[in-house]
Amino acid sequence: MTPPAPPRVRRLVVHTREVDPIEDILAYASPADPLVWQRRGDGFVGIGMLAALEVGGRRPEPDSGTRSAALAEAWRALAAAADVHDEVGLPGTGLVGFGALAFADGSASTSTIIVPEVIVGRRDGRSWITTIRRPDADATDPQPRPWGEYWSATLGPGTLDAPGYQRAVRGALGAIRAGKVAKVVLARDLEGTVPAGADLRRLVRALAGGYPDVWTFAVDGLIGASPETLVTVAGGTVTARVLAGTASRGADADTDIRASLDLATSAKDQDEHQYAVRSVLAALRPHTSALASGETPFTLKLPNVWHLATDIEGELSHGASALDLVGALHPTAAVAGSPTPAALAAIARLEPFDRGRYAGPVGWIDASGDGEWAIALRCAQFGESDAEGTRPVHAHAGAGIVSGSDPESELLETRVKFRPIVDALA
């Protein structure tokens, strides 16, 4: 396996110190290219870029293995050369890299881990600043940046419009009836533009305010709010939350309760959920000495949808890092299907686009290998500004297709899943 070329620094000097409480960490992020990991007001933002580990896209692919494995190897080498002085000792302090990986190893999109020059964080009422520098460089204190003007995006159908998506669903159902695959997760896309000078922190803030209980993230132009934790590693313990099976929220209390009950008793959604749970358990089992999951899923309430959810927890047995487990888990049945190779082949055949980083892993990792990673859902990818004064944006949403799925119902599900990012962009 060929890892990405290490950054041209022989050694990093990392210092985390506690500071007076910071209420709005987002004000410190870059307006044009924010670097953020946040939930319930806690989290951290990165400022500047000291180093970037990259594979795919414009960078060479690994000779063998996966992008996540190559990045994990490169990260271990970088972390081993870092001199870390952490006076706070909370998750997200010390040396931290922000990562966003493509859904598929063959994607034209780059998979990357970004090491910022400064991190501003807060958790449980405590705030900190981390400086990451070369030994011969001086550390500088960050300053909040003024907020840019409000803006809105223009969005429209992408490569796969609504009729095309329904045709793709019928194609997946044909493959299921033929016994080629049990579940396929199919996505469709929207595309549009935002003003070239748009302060993208406003999108992050809108998502964090509307969906405070999920992970809000911004990494290398990928911005979203994901309800699905792929994996968390902390002190030898691994946890994951599986979401599969979705229903729209009701318009009033009675219809909302009925929607939750219908989801909990839906054979189609229960089947879809169990595929996803089994795939996560199978991926984690070789890396754990103990592993447990809920016997039955619970209904998770979000502002716009109900999800079937199952929590999984285990104890790591071989010192695996968060990135090692990302490689073991991705792609789960919740975003690809089951069995995975057949589902990925069906996706490649039925989706007329490269997903890029949509439904790929997004999160962070620290020097010890701990970290939090979500699946990049309810998100949009921003490109570089063009000569016309606009910046392109692409968004995706998908639904799990199993035996008994209805093309029109699956299309409606994607509309519900698009709502968080579309409303925030508006």
Side-chain angles (χ1 to χ4, degrees):
M1 178 187 300
T2 301
R8 293 184 178 180
V9 289
R10 293 183 179 179
R11 180 165 150 260
L12 298 179
V13 177
V14 184
H15 182 205
T16 298
R17 71 184 193 279
E18 191 158 1
V19 297
D20 291 337
I22 298 173
E23 292 301 319
D24 185 12
I25 61 173
L26 195 55
Y28 289 80
S30 165
D33 194 16
L35 198 58
V36 182
W37 184 261
Q38 187 176 17
R39 184 170 71 169
R40 298 176 187 145
D42 286 353
F44 39 91
V45 304
I47 304 161
M49 185 173 70
L50 183 64
L53 308 176
E54 294 184 323
V55 291
R58 59 187 180 275
R59 299 291 182 178
E61 289 285 351
D63 292 336
S64 61
T66 64
R67 292 185 183 185
S68 57
L71 288 172
E73 183 178 343
W75 178 257
R76 275 190 286 268
L78 184 147
D83 180 10
V84 181
H85 181 53
D86 184 355
E87 300 173 8
V88 180
L90 290 174
T93 60
L95 176 64
V96 168
F98 295 73
L101 279 63
F103 174 79
D105 280 337
S107 172
S109 294
T110 301
S111 296
T112 185
I113 295 178
I114 295 172
V115 181
E117 297 173 322
V118 180
I119 297 172
V120 177
R122 56 171 286 162
R123 186 184 290 260
D124 300 331
R126 301 174 66 186
S127 298
W128 68 86
I129 292 175
T130 299
T131 57
I132 307 172
R133 60 182 177 84
R134 299 174 177 86
D136 58 350
D138 294 327
T140 57
D141 278 342
Q143 299 296 324
R145 306 189 190 194
W147 288 83
E149 296 180 357
Y150 286 94
W151 52 270
S152 61
T154 60
L155 281 178
T159 307
L160 193 61
D161 60 12
Y165 184 74
Q166 290 180 297
R167 287 193 297 272
V169 171
R170 287 191 286 270
L173 288 170
I176 292 170
R177 286 192 298 270
K180 296 178 180 179
V181 64
K183 174 187 175 181
V184 182
V185 181
L186 288 181
R188 66 184 184 96
D189 60 329
L190 300 176
E191 58 186 29
T193 60
V194 300
D199 188 337
L200 296 185
R201 295 176 300 174
R202 291 202 175 277
L203 174 59
V204 179
R205 170 164 282 181
L207 291 168
Y211 301 85
D213 293 327
V214 308
W215 296 116
T216 304
F217 57 87
V219 182
D220 199 26
L222 180 71
I223 300 177
S226 177
E228 186 153 1
T229 304
L230 179 62
V231 67
T232 298
V233 174
T237 298
V238 56
T239 58
R241 170 167 287 182
V242 179
L243 303 183
T246 305
S248 299
R249 294 287 305 277
D252 53 47
D254 289 340
T255 58
D256 199 36
I257 291 173
R258 188 159 55 250
S260 172
L261 292 174
D262 287 347
L263 177 64
T265 56
S266 164
K268 177 260 182 188
D269 288 292
Q270 289 283 346
D271 286 348
E272 179 184 344
H273 188 80
Q274 289 307 317
Y275 285 130
V277 172
R278 285 195 293 268
S279 75
V280 171
L281 290 172
L284 288 179
R285 201 164 280 121
H287 303 279
T288 54
S289 57
L291 190 63
S293 68
E295 292 186 3
T296 58
F298 61 93
T299 50
L300 177 67
K301 181 170 67 173
L302 296 176
N304 64 321
V305 295
W306 289 98
H307 283 300
L308 290 180
T310 294
D311 287 333
I312 295 172
E313 182 172 340
E315 297 300 319
L316 291 176
S317 57
H318 303 298
S321 73
L323 264 174
D324 292 326
L325 295 182
V326 164
L329 286 165
H330 178 75
T332 68
V335 293
S338 181
T340 302
L344 291 174
I347 289 169
R349 185 176 71 255
L350 296 169
E351 290 182 1
F353 48 74
D354 181 343
R355 287 187 178 187
R357 293 167 176 165
Y358 165 72
V362 60
W364 62 271
I365 187 168
D366 69 11
S368 66
D370 288 356
E372 295 171 318
W373 291 79
I375 298 174
L377 306 172
R378 321 299 194 263
C379 61
Q381 177 72 55
F382 291 82
E384 298 296 328
S385 299
D386 57 28
E388 298 177 0
T390 60
R391 191 171 181 181
V393 57
H394 289 84
H396 297 81
I401 314 304
V402 296
S403 179
S405 290
D406 172 67
E408 184 175 355
S409 297
E410 303 302 336
L411 175 64
L412 291 175
E413 181 174 325
T414 65
R415 287 175 178 163
V416 170
K417 291 178 176 177
F418 266 129
R419 193 177 355 165
I421 192 68
V422 169
D423 288 352
L425 284 168

